Amino acid sequence: MNTIKSFSFKTDQLTIEWQDGRQSQLAAIWLRDHCQMPECRDPHSGQRLLNITDIPADTRIQSVEQIDDKLVVVFAPENHVSEFSTNWLLDNCYCLNKQSDDRSEQGKKLWQTNSFANGLPRFDYASFCQSGITRATALQAVKDYGFVLLDGVPCEDGYILQVIGKFGYVRETNYGPLFNVRTEVNANNLAFTNLGLGCHLDNPYRDPVPGIQLLHCLESSTTGGESILQDGFMAANVLRDENPEHFKTLSRQWINYRFQDSCTDLHSRVAMFEVNDLNQVIKVRYNNRSIDTLRLERSQIKPFYAAYRHYAEIIEREELQISFKLGAGELMMFDNTRVLHARKSYSDGGIRHLQGAYSDLDGLYSTLSMLQAENHNDL
Ligand SMILES: [Fe+2]
Protein backbone atom coordinates (compact mmCIF):
# COMPACT_ATOMS: atom_id res chain seq x y z
CA MET A 1 0.00 0.00 0.00
CA ASN A 2 1.22 3.49 -0.85
CA THR A 3 2.28 5.66 2.07
CA ILE A 4 3.75 9.10 2.68
CA LYS A 5 7.54 9.14 2.30
CA SER A 6 7.93 12.79 3.25
CA PHE A 7 6.12 16.10 3.14
CA SER A 8 6.90 19.80 3.22
CA PHE A 9 4.85 22.95 3.07
CA LYS A 10 4.88 26.60 2.18
CA THR A 11 2.09 28.95 3.24
CA ASP A 12 0.22 28.40 -0.03
CA GLN A 13 0.99 24.73 -0.74
CA LEU A 14 1.48 21.29 0.82
CA THR A 15 3.83 18.95 -1.07
CA ILE A 16 3.73 15.20 -0.41
CA GLU A 17 6.31 12.72 -1.72
CA TRP A 18 4.73 9.25 -1.91
CA GLN A 19 6.57 5.96 -1.46
CA ASP A 20 5.87 5.01 -5.10
CA GLY A 21 7.72 8.12 -6.32
CA ARG A 22 4.70 10.22 -7.22
CA GLN A 23 4.17 13.71 -5.85
CA SER A 24 1.13 15.71 -4.75
CA GLN A 25 1.17 19.52 -4.71
CA LEU A 26 -1.95 20.70 -2.93
CA ALA A 27 -2.95 24.36 -2.79
CA ALA A 28 -3.85 25.72 0.66
CA ILE A 29 -7.23 27.04 -0.52
CA TRP A 30 -8.12 23.63 -2.03
CA LEU A 31 -7.21 21.81 1.18
CA ARG A 32 -9.21 24.24 3.32
CA ASP A 33 -12.24 23.96 1.01
CA HIS A 34 -12.02 20.14 1.14
CA CYS A 35 -11.76 19.97 4.94
CA GLN A 36 -13.41 16.70 6.08
CA MET A 37 -14.03 17.69 9.71
CA PRO A 38 -17.65 17.52 10.97
CA GLU A 39 -17.94 21.31 11.27
CA CYS A 40 -17.15 21.63 7.55
CA ARG A 41 -18.83 18.45 6.18
CA ASP A 42 -22.12 17.00 7.29
CA PRO A 43 -21.11 13.53 8.60
CA HIS A 44 -24.37 11.93 7.37
CA SER A 45 -24.76 13.26 3.84
CA GLY A 46 -21.08 14.06 3.24
CA GLN A 47 -22.20 17.41 1.84
CA ARG A 48 -20.18 20.57 2.33
CA LEU A 49 -21.41 22.93 5.05
CA LEU A 50 -19.17 25.83 4.00
CA ASN A 51 -19.64 28.50 1.39
CA ILE A 52 -16.50 29.63 -0.39
CA THR A 53 -17.09 33.07 1.12
CA ASP A 54 -16.90 31.53 4.62
CA ILE A 55 -13.22 30.77 3.93
CA PRO A 56 -10.85 33.75 4.25
CA ALA A 57 -9.36 34.77 0.88
CA ASP A 58 -5.92 34.90 2.52
CA THR A 59 -6.13 31.32 3.84
CA ARG A 60 -2.65 29.86 4.34
CA ILE A 61 -1.04 26.81 5.87
CA GLN A 62 0.34 27.49 9.33
CA SER A 63 1.58 24.01 10.27
CA VAL A 64 1.46 20.37 9.14
CA GLU A 65 2.07 17.37 11.34
CA GLN A 66 1.86 13.63 10.59
CA ILE A 67 0.00 11.57 13.19
CA ASP A 68 -0.30 7.86 12.28
CA ASP A 69 -1.90 7.73 8.82
CA LYS A 70 -3.16 11.33 8.92
CA LEU A 71 -1.80 14.75 8.10
CA VAL A 72 -3.04 17.38 10.53
CA VAL A 73 -3.08 20.79 8.88
CA VAL A 74 -3.62 24.07 10.73
CA PHE A 75 -4.86 26.97 8.60
CA ALA A 76 -4.31 30.67 9.32
CA PRO A 77 -5.84 33.14 9.90
CA GLU A 78 -8.75 31.04 11.30
CA ASN A 79 -6.50 28.72 13.31
CA HIS A 80 -8.66 25.96 11.81
CA VAL A 81 -7.50 22.34 12.30
CA SER A 82 -8.18 19.79 9.54
CA GLU A 83 -7.25 16.12 9.42
CA PHE A 84 -6.70 14.38 6.09
CA SER A 85 -6.24 10.61 6.00
CA THR A 86 -3.64 9.10 3.67
CA ASN A 87 -6.39 7.18 1.86
CA TRP A 88 -8.47 10.33 1.34
CA LEU A 89 -5.44 12.18 -0.05
CA LEU A 90 -4.59 9.31 -2.42
CA ASP A 91 -8.17 9.05 -3.69
CA ASN A 92 -8.81 12.77 -4.07
CA CYS A 93 -5.51 14.49 -4.89
CA TYR A 94 -5.84 16.32 -8.21
CA CYS A 95 -2.24 15.54 -9.16
CA LEU A 96 -2.83 11.76 -8.88
CA ASN A 97 -6.43 11.60 -10.11
CA LYS A 98 -7.04 13.36 -13.40
CA GLN A 99 -10.62 14.43 -14.01
CA SER A 100 -12.26 12.10 -16.49
CA ASP A 101 -15.53 12.90 -18.22
CA ASP A 102 -17.18 9.53 -18.85
CA ARG A 103 -20.08 11.21 -20.63
CA SER A 104 -17.83 12.64 -23.32
CA GLU A 105 -16.59 10.98 -26.50
CA GLN A 106 -13.37 10.18 -24.58
CA GLY A 107 -15.26 7.94 -22.14
CA LYS A 108 -17.19 6.01 -24.81
CA LYS A 109 -16.57 3.06 -27.12
CA LEU A 110 -17.12 4.68 -30.50
CA TRP A 111 -18.41 2.32 -33.15
CA GLN A 112 -19.08 1.78 -36.81
CA THR A 113 -20.70 -1.05 -38.84
CA ASN A 114 -17.88 -3.57 -38.41
CA SER A 115 -17.56 -3.01 -34.65
CA PHE A 116 -20.16 -5.69 -33.87
CA ALA A 117 -18.71 -8.82 -35.49
CA ASN A 118 -19.76 -10.79 -32.39
CA GLY A 119 -23.31 -9.44 -32.44
CA LEU A 120 -25.12 -6.38 -31.19
CA PRO A 121 -25.47 -5.70 -27.44
CA ARG A 122 -28.65 -7.73 -26.93
CA PHE A 123 -30.16 -9.14 -23.73
CA ASP A 124 -33.08 -11.30 -22.73
CA TYR A 125 -35.68 -9.21 -20.95
CA ALA A 126 -36.52 -11.87 -18.32
CA SER A 127 -32.85 -12.01 -17.36
CA PHE A 128 -32.67 -8.18 -17.41
CA CYS A 129 -35.44 -8.17 -14.77
CA GLN A 130 -34.18 -11.03 -12.62
CA SER A 131 -30.42 -10.58 -12.64
CA GLY A 132 -28.67 -7.49 -11.33
CA ILE A 133 -25.59 -8.57 -13.28
CA THR A 134 -27.47 -8.74 -16.61
CA ARG A 135 -29.10 -5.40 -15.87
CA ALA A 136 -25.76 -3.79 -15.03
CA THR A 137 -24.16 -5.25 -18.19
CA ALA A 138 -27.03 -4.00 -20.36
CA LEU A 139 -26.98 -0.50 -18.82
CA GLN A 140 -23.20 -0.42 -19.22
CA ALA A 141 -23.75 -1.13 -22.94
CA VAL A 142 -25.96 1.97 -23.11
CA LYS A 143 -23.16 3.95 -21.45
CA ASP A 144 -20.41 2.52 -23.69
CA TYR A 145 -22.11 2.09 -27.09
CA GLY A 146 -25.14 4.32 -26.60
CA PHE A 147 -27.70 1.57 -27.23
CA VAL A 148 -28.97 -1.85 -26.24
CA LEU A 149 -31.59 -4.30 -27.54
CA LEU A 150 -33.93 -6.28 -25.29
CA ASP A 151 -35.68 -9.45 -26.50
CA GLY A 152 -38.86 -11.01 -25.16
CA VAL A 153 -40.47 -7.84 -23.81
CA PRO A 154 -44.22 -8.60 -23.34
CA CYS A 155 -46.25 -7.16 -26.25
CA GLU A 156 -48.70 -5.33 -24.02
CA ASP A 157 -49.97 -1.83 -24.52
CA GLY A 158 -48.00 0.51 -22.22
CA TYR A 159 -45.53 -2.13 -21.09
CA ILE A 160 -42.64 0.15 -22.12
CA LEU A 161 -43.27 2.23 -18.99
CA GLN A 162 -42.57 -0.83 -16.82
CA VAL A 163 -39.25 -1.32 -18.64
CA ILE A 164 -38.26 2.25 -17.76
CA GLY A 165 -39.18 1.54 -14.12
CA LYS A 166 -36.39 -1.09 -14.05
CA PHE A 167 -33.67 1.55 -14.38
CA GLY A 168 -35.06 5.07 -14.13
CA TYR A 169 -37.99 7.43 -14.51
CA VAL A 170 -40.38 8.22 -17.32
CA ARG A 171 -39.84 11.61 -18.93
CA GLU A 172 -43.33 12.73 -19.85
CA THR A 173 -43.71 15.22 -22.71
CA ASN A 174 -46.45 16.81 -24.79
CA TYR A 175 -46.64 13.42 -26.57
CA GLY A 176 -47.73 11.92 -23.22
CA PRO A 177 -45.92 9.36 -21.04
CA LEU A 178 -45.59 7.26 -24.20
CA PHE A 179 -46.37 7.70 -27.89
CA ASN A 180 -47.49 5.35 -30.62
CA VAL A 181 -45.38 5.17 -33.76
CA ARG A 182 -47.70 3.98 -36.52
CA THR A 183 -49.35 5.48 -39.55
CA GLU A 184 -51.85 8.17 -38.58
CA VAL A 185 -54.21 10.34 -40.62
CA ASN A 186 -53.13 14.04 -40.58
CA ALA A 187 -50.08 13.21 -38.43
CA ASN A 188 -48.54 16.16 -36.53
CA ASN A 189 -45.09 14.61 -37.01
CA LEU A 190 -43.60 12.71 -39.96
CA ALA A 191 -42.68 9.95 -37.50
CA PHE A 192 -46.37 9.00 -37.48
CA THR A 193 -46.49 8.25 -41.23
CA ASN A 194 -45.01 5.39 -43.27
CA LEU A 195 -42.34 7.65 -44.80
CA GLY A 196 -38.67 6.87 -44.32
CA LEU A 197 -36.89 9.09 -41.79
CA GLY A 198 -33.24 10.10 -42.09
CA CYS A 199 -30.81 9.81 -39.20
CA HIS A 200 -31.78 12.11 -36.37
CA LEU A 201 -31.93 12.60 -32.65
CA ASP A 202 -35.31 13.28 -31.10
CA ASN A 203 -36.59 16.54 -29.71
CA PRO A 204 -33.63 18.92 -29.95
CA TYR A 205 -36.23 21.64 -29.41
CA ARG A 206 -36.59 20.62 -25.75
CA ASP A 207 -34.53 22.07 -22.95
CA PRO A 208 -33.18 19.73 -21.69
CA VAL A 209 -33.37 17.07 -24.39
CA PRO A 210 -34.62 13.64 -23.18
CA GLY A 211 -31.43 11.63 -22.66
CA ILE A 212 -32.85 8.21 -23.49
CA GLN A 213 -35.39 7.01 -26.01
CA LEU A 214 -37.02 3.58 -25.99
CA LEU A 215 -38.91 2.01 -28.87
CA HIS A 216 -40.86 -1.19 -28.20
CA CYS A 217 -42.18 -3.16 -31.16
CA LEU A 218 -45.69 -4.53 -30.56
CA GLU A 219 -46.44 -5.62 -34.11
CA SER A 220 -44.39 -5.86 -37.28
CA SER A 221 -45.89 -7.32 -40.45
CA THR A 222 -45.02 -4.67 -43.06
CA THR A 223 -42.39 -4.88 -45.77
CA GLY A 224 -39.60 -2.44 -44.95
CA GLY A 225 -39.48 -0.25 -41.84
CA GLU A 226 -35.99 -1.41 -40.80
CA SER A 227 -34.30 0.58 -38.05
CA ILE A 228 -30.90 2.19 -38.51
CA LEU A 229 -28.58 3.42 -35.77
CA GLN A 230 -25.50 5.60 -36.15
CA ASP A 231 -22.95 6.75 -33.56
CA GLY A 232 -23.13 10.54 -33.67
CA PHE A 233 -19.94 10.88 -31.58
CA MET A 234 -18.07 8.72 -34.10
CA ALA A 235 -19.43 10.87 -36.95
CA ALA A 236 -18.29 14.02 -35.09
CA ASN A 237 -14.81 12.47 -34.78
CA VAL A 238 -14.73 11.73 -38.51
CA LEU A 239 -15.82 15.31 -39.21
CA ARG A 240 -13.04 16.69 -36.98
CA ASP A 241 -10.46 14.50 -38.76
CA GLU A 242 -11.65 15.48 -42.22
CA ASN A 243 -12.20 19.18 -41.58
CA PRO A 244 -11.44 20.73 -38.16
CA GLU A 245 -13.06 24.03 -39.23
CA HIS A 246 -16.36 22.26 -39.87
CA PHE A 247 -16.18 20.66 -36.43
CA LYS A 248 -15.52 24.05 -34.90
CA THR A 249 -18.47 25.61 -36.72
CA LEU A 250 -20.93 22.97 -35.50
CA SER A 251 -19.64 23.19 -31.93
CA ARG A 252 -19.63 27.01 -31.76
CA GLN A 253 -22.51 28.15 -33.95
CA TRP A 254 -25.78 28.14 -32.08
CA ILE A 255 -28.99 27.54 -34.02
CA ASN A 256 -32.68 27.41 -33.20
CA TYR A 257 -34.85 24.29 -33.11
CA ARG A 258 -38.62 24.41 -32.95
CA PHE A 259 -41.71 22.22 -32.76
CA GLN A 260 -45.24 23.57 -33.10
CA ASP A 261 -48.66 22.04 -33.34
CA SER A 262 -52.14 23.16 -32.29
CA CYS A 263 -51.32 23.02 -28.56
CA THR A 264 -47.52 23.09 -28.36
CA ASP A 265 -44.75 25.57 -29.10
CA LEU A 266 -41.29 24.38 -28.11
CA HIS A 267 -38.02 26.03 -28.98
CA SER A 268 -34.38 25.87 -28.02
CA ARG A 269 -31.18 27.61 -29.04
CA VAL A 270 -28.10 25.39 -28.95
CA ALA A 271 -25.13 24.19 -30.99
CA MET A 272 -25.31 20.87 -32.86
CA PHE A 273 -22.31 19.67 -30.89
CA GLU A 274 -22.09 20.46 -27.19
CA VAL A 275 -18.46 20.19 -26.07
CA ASN A 276 -16.85 20.15 -22.63
CA ASP A 277 -13.91 22.22 -21.39
CA LEU A 278 -11.52 19.84 -23.21
CA ASN A 279 -13.35 20.36 -26.52
CA GLN A 280 -14.70 16.79 -26.37
CA VAL A 281 -18.22 16.18 -27.61
CA ILE A 282 -20.70 15.45 -24.83
CA LYS A 283 -24.00 15.84 -26.72
CA VAL A 284 -25.15 15.98 -30.31
CA ARG A 285 -28.41 17.56 -31.40
CA TYR A 286 -29.28 16.79 -34.99
CA ASN A 287 -32.71 16.77 -36.57
CA ASN A 288 -33.25 18.22 -40.04
CA ARG A 289 -37.02 18.27 -39.54
CA SER A 290 -36.96 20.59 -36.58
CA ILE A 291 -34.28 23.18 -37.33
CA ASP A 292 -36.07 26.53 -37.16
CA THR A 293 -35.44 29.43 -39.57
CA LEU A 294 -31.69 29.98 -39.52
CA ARG A 295 -30.94 33.54 -38.48
CA LEU A 296 -27.16 33.60 -38.37
CA GLU A 297 -24.78 36.47 -39.02
CA ARG A 298 -24.62 36.91 -42.80
CA SER A 299 -20.95 35.87 -42.84
CA GLN A 300 -21.82 32.60 -41.04
CA ILE A 301 -24.48 31.32 -43.42
CA LYS A 302 -22.23 29.70 -46.03
CA PRO A 303 -19.71 28.23 -43.54
CA PHE A 304 -22.58 26.80 -41.49
CA TYR A 305 -24.19 25.12 -44.49
CA ALA A 306 -20.85 23.65 -45.59
CA ALA A 307 -20.27 22.14 -42.13
CA TYR A 308 -23.89 20.98 -41.74
CA ARG A 309 -23.83 19.27 -45.16
CA HIS A 310 -20.51 17.60 -44.38
CA TYR A 311 -21.83 16.12 -41.10
CA ALA A 312 -25.09 15.05 -42.80
CA GLU A 313 -23.06 13.23 -45.46
CA ILE A 314 -20.93 11.46 -42.85
CA ILE A 315 -23.89 10.16 -40.82
CA GLU A 316 -25.41 8.64 -43.95
CA ARG A 317 -22.24 6.65 -44.78
CA GLU A 318 -23.17 2.96 -44.80
CA GLU A 319 -19.94 1.88 -43.12
CA LEU A 320 -20.93 3.97 -40.09
CA GLN A 321 -24.46 2.59 -39.71
CA ILE A 322 -26.04 -0.57 -38.39
CA SER A 323 -29.41 -1.80 -39.59
CA PHE A 324 -31.87 -4.37 -38.27
CA LYS A 325 -35.59 -4.98 -38.24
CA LEU A 326 -37.33 -4.87 -34.89
CA GLY A 327 -39.68 -7.79 -34.43
CA ALA A 328 -42.65 -8.02 -32.06
CA GLY A 329 -41.38 -8.18 -28.46
CA GLU A 330 -38.09 -6.44 -29.22
CA LEU A 331 -37.18 -3.12 -27.67
CA MET A 332 -34.32 -0.79 -28.45
CA MET A 333 -33.11 1.80 -26.03
CA PHE A 334 -30.58 4.44 -27.01
CA ASP A 335 -28.77 7.52 -25.79
CA ASN A 336 -30.68 10.32 -27.47
CA THR A 337 -27.78 12.74 -27.04
CA ARG A 338 -25.44 10.50 -29.06
CA VAL A 339 -26.92 7.69 -31.18
CA LEU A 340 -28.89 8.84 -34.21
CA HIS A 341 -31.76 6.70 -35.40
CA ALA A 342 -33.48 6.35 -38.75
CA ARG A 343 -36.18 4.23 -40.31
CA LYS A 344 -36.70 2.97 -43.82
CA SER A 345 -40.09 3.57 -45.42
CA TYR A 346 -42.58 0.73 -45.18
CA SER A 347 -45.47 -0.69 -47.16
CA ASP A 348 -49.12 0.25 -46.78
CA GLY A 349 -50.03 -3.41 -46.27
CA GLY A 350 -49.51 -4.98 -42.85
CA ILE A 351 -49.08 -3.26 -39.50
CA ARG A 352 -46.02 -1.65 -37.92
CA HIS A 353 -46.78 -0.56 -34.39
CA LEU A 354 -44.09 0.67 -32.03
CA GLN A 355 -44.55 2.39 -28.71
CA GLY A 356 -41.97 4.96 -27.73
CA ALA A 357 -41.12 6.71 -24.49
CA TYR A 358 -38.38 8.87 -23.05
CA SER A 359 -36.29 8.72 -19.93
CA ASP A 360 -33.15 10.50 -18.74
CA LEU A 361 -29.52 9.44 -18.61
CA ASP A 362 -28.83 10.50 -15.04
CA GLY A 363 -31.35 7.99 -13.63
CA LEU A 364 -29.84 5.20 -15.73
CA TYR A 365 -26.28 6.08 -14.66
CA SER A 366 -27.33 6.18 -11.02
CA THR A 367 -28.93 2.70 -11.25
CA LEU A 368 -25.84 1.39 -13.04
CA SER A 369 -23.58 2.79 -10.35
CA MET A 370 -25.66 1.18 -7.57
CA LEU A 371 -25.79 -2.19 -9.38
CA GLN A 372 -22.03 -2.12 -9.92
CA ALA A 373 -21.45 -1.44 -6.23
CA GLU A 374 -23.79 -4.34 -5.28
CA ASN A 375 -22.29 -6.80 -7.77
CA HIS A 376 -18.69 -5.63 -7.87
CA ASN A 377 -17.34 -9.13 -7.17
CA ASP A 378 -19.18 -10.62 -10.14
CA LEU A 379 -18.83 -7.89 -12.78
FE1 LIG B 1 -37.19 9.73 -33.86
Side-chain angles (χ1 to χ4, degrees):
M1 197 196 122
N2 205 357
T3 52
I4 294 171
K5 186 176 166 196
S6 64
F7 67 87
S8 61
F9 71 93
K10 294 183 290 186
T11 52
D12 65 340
Q13 181 175 292
L14 167 65
T15 301
I16 303 170
E17 306 290 342
W18 297 96
Q19 288 293 353
D20 66 2
R22 290 184 298 170
Q23 189 187 62
S24 296
Q25 294 185 352
L26 301 172
I29 185 66
W30 182 89
L31 279 167
R32 177 66 188 91
D33 182 42
H34 287 80
C35 176
Q36 301 294 301
M37 306 304 275
E39 61 269 37
C40 297
R41 288 267 167 176
D42 179 60
H44 301 292
S45 66
Q47 293 193 328
R48 196 183 265 102
L49 296 167
L50 289 181
N51 263 322
I52 185 63
T53 48
D54 296 328
I55 302 172
D58 60 345
T59 286
R60 52 200 185 273
I61 298 172
Q62 190 173 298
S63 67
V64 182
E65 189 184 358
Q66 185 168 8
I67 299 178
D68 302 325
D69 67 340
K70 288 182 192 139
L71 289 184
V72 180
V73 182
V74 180
F75 294 95
E78 298 169 282
N79 211 23
H80 182 83
V81 180
S82 301
E83 293 181 0
F84 297 97
S85 72
T86 304
N87 282 344
W88 187 91
L89 290 165
L90 283 167
D91 288 346
N92 291 279
C93 163
Y94 50 80
C95 300
L96 308 182
N97 305 281
K98 295 290 177 213
Q99 188 73 52
S100 79
D101 184 352
D102 63 2
R103 298 201 189 191
S104 76
E105 55 180 312
Q106 218 68 41
K108 307 294 184 188
K109 293 181 178 163
L110 304 189
W111 54 264
Q112 52 192 354
T113 315
N114 61 11
S115 302
F116 299 105
N118 297 323
L120 300 176
R122 183 185 280 279
F123 297 85
D124 174 60
Y125 181 66
S127 174
F128 181 83
C129 294
Q130 287 154 16
S131 158
I133 293 171
T134 304
R135 201 150 64 251
T137 311
L139 299 182
Q140 184 68 45
V142 177
K143 190 166 182 176
D144 289 342
Y145 303 109
F147 73 99
V148 73
L149 296 164
L150 298 177
D151 291 332
V153 180
C155 290
E156 294 169 19
D157 181 39
Y159 195 87
I160 191 170
L161 302 179
Q162 291 193 43
V163 177
I164 294 177
K166 303 285 177 202
F167 66 84
Y169 303 94
V170 175
R171 170 82 180 272
E172 198 166 335
T173 69
N174 58 300
Y175 299 122
L178 61 79
F179 48 91
N180 286 289
V181 184
R182 60 186 165 195
T183 307
E184 284 178 9
V185 178
N186 298 327
N188 69 345
N189 191 312
L190 294 181
F192 309 138
T193 68
N194 65 350
L195 296 173
L197 296 173
C199 278
H200 65 279
L201 292 154
D202 269 24
N203 298 190
Y205 40 78
R206 291 188 202 285
D207 182 12
V209 166
I212 297 172
Q213 180 173 181
L214 298 93
L215 287 168
H216 177 205
C217 183
L218 296 178
E219 209 171 342
S220 174
S221 58
T222 54
T223 306
E226 289 86 354
S227 299
I228 293 165
L229 296 179
Q230 199 283 318
D231 184 352
F233 284 10
M234 171 63 105
N237 266 257
V238 172
L239 181 75
R240 180 165 39 206
D241 287 348
E242 291 182 356
N243 191 323
E245 266 315 301
H246 285 174
F247 179 90
K248 196 169 157 188
T249 298
L250 296 190
S251 59
R252 302 268 171 85
Q253 180 62 64
W254 287 35
I255 57 171
N256 291 11
Y257 289 96
R258 187 160 197 181
F259 176 84
Q260 282 178 291
D261 67 7
S262 58
C263 51
T264 312
D265 186 5
L266 294 160
H267 39 93
S268 68
R269 180 168 164 74
V270 287
M272 272 194 194
F273 300 161
E274 188 173 328
V275 296
N276 65 11
D277 50 343
L278 303 172
N279 208 30
Q280 299 162 346
V281 178
I282 56 168
K283 283 179 194 162
V284 176
R285 293 182 185 85
Y286 182 90
N287 190 319
N288 64 304
R289 281 172 288 147
S290 39
I291 295 180
D292 197 8
T293 304
L294 284 170
R295 296 187 193 92
L296 313 181
E297 289 295 321
R298 190 161 49 88
S299 63
Q300 292 305 310
I301 294 286
K302 286 181 185 171
F304 178 80
Y305 272 103
Y308 174 29
R309 175 184 296 277
H310 190 177
Y311 189 61
E313 285 170 353
I314 292 169
I315 62 178
E316 294 298 342
R317 289 179 192 169
E318 262 183 37
E319 69 270 22
L320 296 182
Q321 300 184 337
I322 56 169
S323 169
F324 49 88
K325 188 163 179 175
L326 276 185
E330 290 181 311
L331 179 148
M332 65 173 172
M333 164 156 96
F334 48 90
D335 179 341
N336 188 51
T337 66
R338 172 185 172 193
V339 172
L340 292 90
H341 59 290
R343 155 189 101 199
K344 294 186 182 170
S345 61
Y346 58 95
S347 60
D348 283 329
I351 294 174
R352 181 181 188 270
H353 182 195
L354 271 55
Q355 285 192 322
Y358 300 117
S359 180
D360 287 306
L361 282 166
D362 59 351
L364 183 147
Y365 286 153
S366 168
T367 303
L368 174 60
S369 196
M370 300 310 288
L371 287 168
Q372 285 172 335
E374 273 169 37
N375 299 290
H376 69 277
N377 290 331
D378 301 308
L379 283 167

